[in-house]
Amino acid sequence: MRDRGAWPGIVVVVLLAVVFLILPHVYGNQSLLFQMMTFVVLTQGLNLLYGFTGYLPFGYVGFFGAGAYATSLLVLHTDLPVIACVIGGGIGSIVIAIILGPLLRLSGAYFSIANLAASQIMFFVVSNGNLSKITGGPYGLKIDRVYAPEASYLTMLAILLLATGLAAYFRASRFGLGLRAMTQDPVSAAMAGIDVVRQRVLVWLASAGIAGLAGGTYAWNLSVFYPDAVFTLQISVFAIVFALFGGVGTVIGPIIGAASLYLLYNGIGISFPQGFELLYGALIVLLVLFLPNGVSSLLTRRGVRVF
Amino acid sequence: MSSEPLLRLDGVGKAFGGNIVLNRLSFSVEPGEIVGLVGPNGSGKTTAINLISGVHRADAGTIRFQGRPVQGLAPFRLAHLGINRTFQVPKPFREMGVRENIEVAAHFGGARGMDADAVLAEIDLAGHAAIMAGGLTVNQQKMLDLGRALATDPKLLLIDEIGAGLNPSELGAIANLLQRLAQRGIALIVVEHLLDFLNRITNRVIVLGAGRMLFEGTLKAASENPDVVAAFIGG
Ligand SMILES: Nc1ncnc2c1ncn2[C@@H]1O[C@H](COP(=O)(O)OP(=O)(O)OP(=O)(O)O)[C@@H](O)[C@H]1O
Ligand SMILES: [Mg+2]
């Protein structure tokens, strides 16, 4: 650990824990809080990869969906405790990420598009009617015998803390210093002795694992879901916009971006979805043009070092 | 210790597409030695450095470092073994501090005891330690490349045109630095167009012309060799 060491990360993790433990007692709609947490987790998970390696996974939702299905299948076909099934969802996504590992050889937009295609392929496979016996095909899966809103809420919180802890580690550790060097110049990073491929793959697996855990917990919380609910591209788009809005490569940027825009979405988006999509489209254009490093860069420009 | 040289190339070749850029390059380098690598533009000097440092992979021949074949190893492994380099167009981590640039290499380069301040003093950037590397001049960035390489505690340094664009007194300082490094036992391969500069630090040069090795020997003898003269004048 360098600079201020582990402290900023610990502070952020503790704050998040306190806030999301108290909120359900202040604000009754726990399902909305759960949804919001899910998006904060996905935004942070996407930030792990995009913010710290520069690879933008358009198909990030694929890992979420894979986690949801892996967890549900474990619940349906084994006697494992639900938590173990959720962990199995994370592992399932990591396995998919290992299979998709060669995508990391592509650069820029090629990586993003190939990853998007991969997530679409997963969607078509699981929603295919011929696989109804296993995946439920277009009707999805039902695991209502383990329905437990409280426990799944706490599990999602634990995943949020894990994702945030990882981001803090990437931000403050020597490993993270290596990541920063790699994104700026991979050739020089290699000559500085950094195992660029290994570091990149580790971050990719961590990012996928977070989405898988989140997907598993999301499935558990819903307990009945259609394939589109966990594979819709909208999830990727939201995570990307939220992350860009808050500021990638930081720890708190994605949290702030996801929490604020998700609330906005809930306020006006659900009653007026087209207007909301328009707003998001405009937001992306404005961000790219004027605030490529997100709202947290407003502070950075004033000399505040955003963690 | 075996009698193997520190670095030995045997029949090394490289082509890009159909374009043969290096053809049967063979030479060796001993510890503490400075070897000049010269040749007209496009003759393959940078490519030779890229092959030795693992940035590109040789199509033919063998490259041995301390007696073991190293072609095909990833650059970071070569860095750990003790091969490092600078770049003709410098490649610092632009949005990191000058000191951080050195620290990265000190930490990951397999020489964790390396003192970043000592390296900064050596490359004359101690006064700029806190600024972003992107804010340095091009020549300072080349020195930072050298500092990053030094922070990995190299046994072999490949220096690609570090003198271009410098005034005589700056050149003198760099010549002194490179000689000090050689005295410590580091072997150096120095690519340079400035022959006076090379003449100060070495009397052994390898001359490339269109990817072939035209000559190996003293700079003075090179300047009298008809092949070399033809390559430089006739192209
Ligand atoms: N990555 C590459 N892809 C294709 N061709 C390349 C590549 N790198 C070098 N070449 C070609 O190989 C030849 C030798 O290039 P190289 O950079 O090694 O020459 P050089 O001797 O360093 O020249 P200079 O003095 O101009 O730096 C040139 O014709 C160049 O165009
Ligand atoms: Mg060159």
Side-chain angles (χ1 to χ4, degrees):
Chain A
M1 293 280 172
R2 337 172 348 264
D3 298 346
R4 293 158 299 173
W7 280 110
I10 293 170
V11 169
V12 175
V13 166
V14 169
L15 268 179
L16 273 177
V18 169
V19 166
F20 280 99
L21 285 173
I22 290 176
L23 270 179
H25 302 286
V26 189
Y27 177 75
N29 191 344
Q30 191 168 348
S31 119
L32 185 138
L33 291 174
F34 179 86
Q35 297 270 341
M36 181 164 98
M37 253 195 321
T38 305
F39 275 103
V40 178
V41 168
L42 286 171
T43 305
Q44 191 68 282
L46 179 122
N47 175 50
L48 292 178
L49 185 69
Y50 182 53
F52 293 92
T53 70
Y55 283 78
L56 179 59
F58 277 157
Y60 193 54
V61 67
F63 298 119
F64 183 74
Y69 272 86
T71 297
S72 305
L73 291 172
L74 286 171
V75 167
L76 290 172
H77 302 293
T78 69
D79 293 326
L80 293 171
V82 189
I83 292 289
C85 299
V86 168
I87 292 170
I91 294 171
S93 289
I94 289 175
V95 170
I96 303 260
I98 291 171
I99 296 167
L100 295 180
L103 294 190
L104 291 170
R105 291 188 195 165
L106 303 173
S107 60
Y110 297 102
F111 167 82
S112 300
I113 290 167
N115 179 233
L116 175 64
S119 77
Q120 290 300 100
I121 291 169
M122 282 188 257
F123 171 65
F124 289 128
V125 169
V126 299
S127 60
N128 188 308
N130 294 326
L131 284 179
S132 293
K133 289 220 176 62
I134 303 166
T135 64
Y139 307 108
L141 291 174
K142 194 166 149 187
I143 51 169
D144 49 349
R145 80 175 164 82
V146 296
Y147 179 66
E150 295 293 336
S152 53
Y153 180 91
L154 291 175
T155 305
M156 190 61 90
L157 176 55
I159 299 164
L160 173 59
L161 302 184
L162 174 65
T164 303
L166 280 171
Y169 176 70
F170 289 1
R171 183 96 174 135
S173 65
R174 296 283 178 176
F175 180 83
L177 183 67
L179 292 177
R180 264 207 297 152
M182 276 158 58
T183 17
Q184 288 178 34
D185 196 314
V187 176
S188 292
M191 287 321 302
I194 299 171
D195 188 344
V196 172
V197 173
R198 176 174 163 275
Q199 290 221 20
R200 196 178 278 153
V201 168
L202 285 176
V203 174
W204 166 244
L205 300 185
S207 173
I210 291 292
L213 291 170
T217 310
Y218 188 77
W220 179 19
N221 186 271
L222 290 184
S223 81
V224 182
F225 61 92
Y226 292 115
D228 352 316
V230 294
F231 276 110
T232 171
L233 253 185
Q234 199 187 17
I235 293 177
S236 284
V237 173
F238 273 25
I240 291 167
V241 176
F242 294 171
L244 288 174
F245 180 73
V248 294
T250 67
V251 178
I252 60 168
I255 300 171
I256 291 168
S260 57
L261 287 188
Y262 187 75
L263 288 180
L264 187 69
Y265 167 71
N266 245 277
I268 60 169
I270 290 174
S271 50
F272 187 34
Q274 301 84 348
F276 201 72
E277 272 158 27
L278 189 72
L279 184 72
Y280 270 19
L283 203 57
I284 294 185
V285 173
L286 291 175
L287 280 171
V288 170
L289 286 178
F290 299 110
L291 263 189
N293 296 313
V295 286
S296 59
S297 65
L298 290 174
L299 289 171
T300 315
R301 283 182 200 171
R302 281 169 185 70
V304 181
R305 232 194 108 199
V306 176
F307 180 67
Chain B
M1 287 299 284
S2 65
S3 57
E4 272 285 332
L6 182 69
L7 175 77
R8 178 182 185 142
L9 275 68
D10 257 310
V12 168
K14 178 73 185 171
F16 290 107
N19 180 16
I20 296 171
V21 171
L22 276 181
N23 197 0
R24 295 173 181 235
L25 187 58
S26 302
F27 65 88
S28 55
V29 183
E30 301 291 342
E33 196 186 9
I34 301 180
V35 178
L37 186 58
V38 298
N41 292 108
S43 56
K45 305 180 294 294
T46 298
T47 302
I49 286 185
N50 284 338
L51 297 184
I52 298 168
S53 61
V55 170
H56 289 150
R57 195 178 174 148
D59 309 328
T62 55
I63 302 175
R64 288 173 174 273
F65 185 69
Q66 296 182 307
R68 79 180 255 212
V70 292
Q71 71 272 28
L73 288 188
F76 83 93
R77 290 202 191 283
L78 296 172
H80 290 171
L81 287 178
I83 299 178
N84 227 293
R85 65 173 293 174
T86 69
F87 295 90
Q88 186 169 355
V89 178
K91 291 165 77 64
F93 306 120
R94 303 182 62 85
E95 285 162 42
M96 286 170 49
V98 168
R99 193 171 203 286
E100 271 184 315
N101 268 261
I102 304 293
E103 284 172 349
V104 171
H107 179 74
F108 287 96
R112 297 200 180 183
M114 187 58 65
D115 176 8
D117 291 314
V119 174
L120 284 168
E122 190 129 61
I123 57 174
D124 203 18
L125 288 179
H128 302 277
I131 70 167
M132 289 288 143
L136 297 174
T137 67
V138 171
N139 287 315
Q140 287 171 328
Q141 290 181 10
K142 286 188 185 180
M143 292 309 283
L144 187 55
D145 271 2
L146 177 60
R148 192 177 56 219
L150 287 175
T152 66
D153 195 15
K155 299 185 177 75
L156 170 67
L157 262 179
L158 315 164
I159 312 270
D160 201 351
E161 299 201 22
I162 202 166
L166 294 182
N167 68 37
S169 90
E170 291 166 329
L171 280 174
I174 292 192
N176 287 337
L177 171 57
L178 297 185
Q179 275 174 319
R180 278 205 307 279
L181 297 176
Q183 274 154 21
R184 274 188 227 158
I186 302 176
L188 291 101
I189 297 178
V190 180
V191 169
E192 200 52 83
H193 285 289
L194 307 163
L195 298 185
D196 287 344
F197 173 81
L198 271 187
N199 210 11
R200 275 195 59 173
I201 58 174
T202 179
N203 51 29
R204 184 174 156 223
V205 296
I206 291 162
V207 184
L208 295 180
R212 286 193 317 113
M213 220 171 123
L214 299 179
F215 178 86
E216 180 174 10
T218 66
L219 197 55
K220 184 164 181 302
S223 66
E224 288 157 5
N225 180 296
D227 288 344
V228 172
V229 173
F232 273 91
I233 298 169

